[in-house]
């Protein structure tokens, strides 16, 4: 649902603040009709012969590289703890998106089963302690940044021990952006409560219905907190992005990444108030910075709904369909807005108590 911008002189030139704001706001939301749906489903990779051990990275990458083309066209990517993610292309509606992702998941599961590996689509790894197996410089830098800013445990758990179902929906017509982005956030606590299926971590009950959402809530909220739902969501996203701390500085000539161990706003790197990497940032740096921001609803031209636990069959298709209908169907959206308004900010209650919370249960 997105396009990769070509490398141009404009993208390699140093930014000023006004250009940076315009760059982020201009790409935040793309006008058009609603309807298309893209789904992404993560799952923990498990060695069926040794479920308490993490699968070594070379074994994972060897298997993924040998996969055949998937019938639904999904991309297969890997998270730093070895989680496997299927990202299906946009489909005309939720039913088609579910069918495509389900077909691809069946092919992937069969290929993994041939090597005695299985997929566990739940919000948090219920057995293994968080541990990074990917050697990628990006993830090593992320881990160092989280440790430096005081959320090492949550940062490692997020990267290596969580899994989500992501629902990607069109931004819709410009005139409805504020209401649509606001509703996507307002639905969050109720849908977190409905989707919560991660009560275990490290082999023990956590006391939370969605330990995955708890982990995200324990992270730096300047990077992971919700947008405020104002009248100009594209402009608000630009302000959010430029105020968020820089996590890492990429090596423009290679694949390296240097962690930033202080809280440096991207805006301060732009203005020169806090120089990083002995240079000023470019549009390419800004685009990369956006990939290190994880609000529960992230504007990427379309809307990434990021707050749902990964769930097994038949629950993930139901969650995808419900989320889509509540945002894309005008009648359902109106009813959902009225029903969920009293619990709009109850993120922590939803994560802890799930549908045991009376107010959230009444609105589910």
């Amino acid at each position: 649902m997105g396009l990769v911008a070509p490398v141009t002189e404009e993208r390699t030139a140093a930014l000023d603040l006004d250009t940076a704001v315009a760059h982020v706001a201009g790409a935040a939301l793309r006008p058009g009709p609603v309807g298309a749906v893209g789904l992404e489903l993560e799952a923990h990779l498990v060695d069926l012969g040794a479920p308490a051990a993490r699968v070594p990275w070379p074994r994972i990458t060897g298997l993924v590289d040998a996969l055949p083309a998937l019938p639904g066209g999904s991309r297969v990517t890997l998270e730093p703890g070895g989680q496997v993610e299927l990202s299906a292309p946009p489909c005309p509606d939720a039913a088609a998106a579910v069918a495509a992702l389900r077909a691809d998941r069946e092919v992937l599961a069969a290929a993994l089963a041939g090597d005695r590996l299985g997929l566990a689509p739940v919000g948090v790894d219920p057995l293994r302690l968080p541990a990074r197996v990917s050697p990628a410089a990006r993830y090593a830098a992320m881990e160092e940044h989280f440790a430096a800013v005081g959320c090492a445990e949550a940062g490692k758990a997020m990267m290596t021990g969580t899994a989500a179902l992501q629902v990607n929906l069109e931004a819709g017509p410009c005139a409805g952006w504020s209401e649509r982005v606001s509703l996507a956030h307002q639905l969050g606590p109720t849908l977190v409560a409905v989707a919560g299926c991660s009560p275990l971590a490290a082999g023990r009950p956590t006391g939370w219905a969605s330990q995955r959402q708890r982990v995200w809530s324990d992270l730096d909220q300047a990077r992971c907190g919700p947008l405020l739902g104002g009248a100009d969501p594209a402009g608000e996203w630009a302000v959010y992005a430029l105020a968020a701390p820089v996590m890492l500085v990429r090596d423009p000539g290679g694949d390296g990444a240097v962690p930033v161990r202080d809280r440096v706003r991207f805006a301060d790197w732009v203005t020169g108030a806090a120089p990083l990497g002995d240079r000023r940032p470019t549009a390419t740096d800004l685009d990369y910075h956006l990939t290190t921001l994880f609000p529960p609803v992230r504007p990427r031209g379309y809307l990434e709904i990021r707050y749902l636990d990964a769930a097994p069959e038949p629950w993930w298709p139901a969650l995808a369909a419900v989320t889509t209908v509540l945002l894309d169907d005008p009648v359902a959206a109106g009813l959902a807005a009225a029903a969920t308004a009293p619990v709009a900010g109850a993120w922590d209650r939803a994560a802890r108590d799930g549908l045991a919370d009376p107010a959230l249960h009444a609105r589910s």
Side-chain angles (χ1 to χ4, degrees):
M1 294 179 109
L3 298 175
V4 178
V7 176
T8 64
E9 182 177 347
E10 181 178 307
R11 293 184 57 75
T12 59
L15 292 168
D16 60 47
L17 203 54
D18 289 341
T19 303
V21 169
H23 182 82
V24 177
L29 298 169
R30 182 175 57 243
V34 302
V37 180
L39 299 178
E40 301 178 33
L41 182 63
E42 297 172 328
H44 307 283
L45 187 63
V46 181
D47 185 332
L48 299 178
R54 289 196 176 269
V55 183
W57 190 251
R59 183 180 174 194
I60 301 173
T61 55
L63 287 167
V64 170
D65 290 345
L67 286 172
L70 300 180
S74 293
R75 291 184 300 110
V76 181
T77 54
L78 300 171
E79 297 298 319
Q83 309 98 307
V84 180
E85 181 178 41
L86 279 172
S87 301
C91 293
D93 54 35
V98 165
L101 190 58
R102 181 178 272 152
D104 290 347
R105 189 173 182 277
E106 289 176 357
V107 173
L108 173 63
L112 295 174
D115 200 49
R116 295 283 296 157
L117 296 175
L119 295 170
V122 291
V124 162
D125 190 317
L127 180 61
R128 299 170 298 192
L129 292 172
R132 180 169 57 86
V133 296
S134 168
R138 169 184 169 94
Y139 297 127
M142 288 176 67
E143 198 169 332
E144 288 193 45
H145 173 84
F146 281 130
V149 300
C151 48
E153 183 176 347
K156 181 178 286 189
M158 178 274 285
M159 290 194 298
T160 69
T162 64
L165 167 66
Q166 186 170 295
V167 181
N168 301 323
L169 302 175
E170 298 289 3
C174 299
W177 282 351
S178 176
E179 183 178 0
R180 185 165 172 78
V181 173
S182 179
L183 178 59
H185 284 83
Q186 184 176 307
L187 292 172
T190 300
L191 290 176
V192 165
V194 170
C197 64
S198 50
L200 302 176
R204 297 188 299 273
T206 64
W208 291 69
S210 175
Q211 176 69 9
R212 183 204 56 80
Q213 181 62 31
R214 179 192 186 185
V215 166
W216 284 97
S217 296
D218 286 345
L219 289 166
D220 184 353
Q221 292 302 286
R223 180 181 310 282
C224 301
L227 278 70
L228 298 178
D232 176 17
E236 184 184 349
W237 175 234
V239 171
Y240 181 111
L242 292 170
V246 182
M247 177 177 278
L248 55 90
V249 176
R250 296 169 59 249
D251 174 6
D255 297 327
V258 178
V260 178
R261 295 182 176 86
D262 297 308
R263 291 182 61 84
V264 176
R265 302 186 315 153
F266 194 93
D268 292 334
W269 188 18
V270 171
T271 63
L276 297 173
D278 297 323
R279 61 183 179 83
R280 301 280 279 275
T282 66
T284 300
D285 292 309
L286 179 51
D287 287 340
Y288 196 79
H289 172 66
L290 296 179
T291 71
T292 71
L293 307 181
F294 311 111
V297 180
R298 184 164 66 175
R300 295 191 61 192
Y302 52 94
L303 298 182
E304 282 185 349
I305 312 299
R306 302 175 51 87
Y307 45 64
L308 301 169
D309 275 16
E313 293 277 357
W315 306 115
W316 71 263
L319 291 168
V322 167
T323 302
T324 300
V325 168
L326 293 183
L327 280 160
D328 282 3
D329 181 273
V331 174
L335 293 172
T340 58
V343 291
W347 294 94
D348 286 345
R349 282 167 48 200
R352 183 184 62 245
D353 301 327
L355 294 179
D357 182 283
L360 289 160
H361 185 274
R363 283 150 181 85
S364 63

